[in-house]
Amino acid sequence: MQILLVEDNISIAKGLIYSLEQKEYKVSHTDTIERTILALESKKIDLIILDISLPDGDGFRLYEKEIKKRKIPTIFLTARDEEDDIVKGLELGAEDYITKPFSTKELIARINKILLRGKNEKITVQNIEFDMDKMEVYKDKEKIELSNIELKILQLLFLNLNKVVTRDDIIEKIWDWTGNDVNNNTVTVYMKRIREKLDVDIIITIKGIGYRIDEK
């Protein structure tokens, strides 16, 4: 997967490039509109992370004039956090709008979700299939009924195959999803329910740390 990072802050760019390459993404970097247009014309780009305030112009205009017609999924990543800017970015057609400062983990999770959706991805581990587009889970082609939170927790594990998702990560996500305070016991209860409904031993517990699903 080829990601184009359009960011004129060098320290942010270096940190993001390192984090994305650790996740085995290929990353190209530009810091102006002019260089971005050249990259769009010369490379096959799967996703763009786009700052709005660039030295030679406006990222909104760049998206509207050059990126949108190419139908490349785009995440605006910017310090501009006014509601009007957020609404404008999403109404233009961007996949997401993230304000600085930001969580690199969250950004990567959103990137994963967008790229998987773009591939109409169905991830299968043993006899469990997760349809990322439909947000549905199947066992031997039979749909498994999961609650909204159970689905999202399981999706988080599927989006991070072969990597540990910590209990703290899950607690933070449940807070984001529900706005409710949760604790370790809440995570334990959700994981127990998910395992019971799957009735397949694909979720590995890393004692004291979190959970992992491995590709077979």
Side-chain angles (χ1 to χ4, degrees):
M1 289 291 183
Q2 181 73 50
I3 293 175
L4 176 61
L5 172 62
V6 185
E7 172 61 65
D8 65 328
N9 184 309
I10 298 303
S11 64
I12 290 177
K14 285 182 177 179
L16 266 180
I17 290 168
Y18 174 80
S19 297
L20 290 167
E21 287 180 343
Q22 290 297 300
K23 298 295 184 181
E24 300 184 351
Y25 286 118
K26 296 178 182 177
V27 186
S28 299
H29 173 231
T30 59
D31 56 2
T32 65
I33 289 175
E34 182 180 1
R35 289 172 182 155
T36 301
I37 293 172
L38 290 174
L40 290 171
E41 291 172 346
S42 62
K43 300 175 185 289
K44 182 185 182 302
I45 306 297
D46 296 297
L47 181 138
I48 297 173
I49 301 170
L50 176 61
D51 195 1
I52 292 174
S53 300
L54 295 167
D56 57 344
D58 182 84
F60 284 141
R61 184 170 177 80
L62 172 63
Y63 177 81
E64 196 169 14
K65 298 297 182 182
E66 298 291 339
I67 297 171
K68 189 172 183 177
K69 65 185 179 183
R70 292 177 167 88
K71 298 182 179 179
I72 302 173
T74 299
I75 297 174
F76 283 115
L77 181 66
T78 175
R80 287 166 59 170
D81 59 359
E82 294 294 326
E83 184 178 353
D84 287 348
D85 285 328
I86 296 171
V87 170
K88 180 178 180 179
L90 296 175
E91 286 185 344
L92 282 174
E95 294 285 336
D96 215 331
Y97 191 111
I98 298 175
T99 58
K100 301 172 184 174
F102 61 95
S103 161
T104 301
K105 279 186 179 179
E106 182 178 355
L107 173 61
I108 290 173
R110 296 193 192 192
I111 289 169
N112 289 339
K113 185 176 180 180
I114 291 167
L115 291 177
L116 287 174
R117 186 173 69 238
K119 291 168 62 182
N120 189 26
E121 187 75 10
K122 295 179 181 179
I123 302 176
T124 302
V125 176
Q126 294 186 38
N127 60 338
I128 302 296
E129 179 184 86
F130 201 123
D131 187 319
M132 293 290 170
D133 275 350
K134 296 181 178 179
M135 282 296 285
E136 292 177 347
V137 180
Y138 298 87
K139 177 182 178 182
D140 296 324
K141 306 301 180 184
E142 293 290 327
K143 185 178 176 182
I144 299 172
E145 295 298 334
L146 297 167
S147 72
N148 186 47
I149 299 300
E150 291 164 358
L151 264 175
K152 288 183 175 181
I153 292 172
L154 189 59
Q155 182 192 40
L156 187 62
L157 293 171
F158 268 83
L159 287 172
N160 290 277
L161 290 179
N162 307 310
K163 300 179 182 69
V164 176
V165 177
T166 69
R167 294 175 70 88
D168 285 344
D169 286 338
I170 296 172
I171 288 171
E172 184 179 330
K173 285 296 182 184
I174 294 174
W175 164 257
D176 289 342
W177 298 329
T178 67
N180 297 328
D181 286 322
V182 294
N183 54 36
N184 273 305
N185 185 58
T186 306
V187 175
T188 301
V189 171
Y190 275 122
M191 295 308 301
K192 183 174 183 290
R193 290 176 182 168
I194 292 169
R195 281 175 160 141
E196 287 174 349
K197 291 179 180 182
L198 295 181
D199 195 27
V200 178
D201 191 20
I202 63 170
I203 301 174
I204 301 165
T205 299
I206 311 302
K207 191 173 181 180
I209 301 175
Y211 305 91
R212 189 182 78 234
I213 295 178
D214 288 342
E215 290 179 287
K216 300 295 183 182

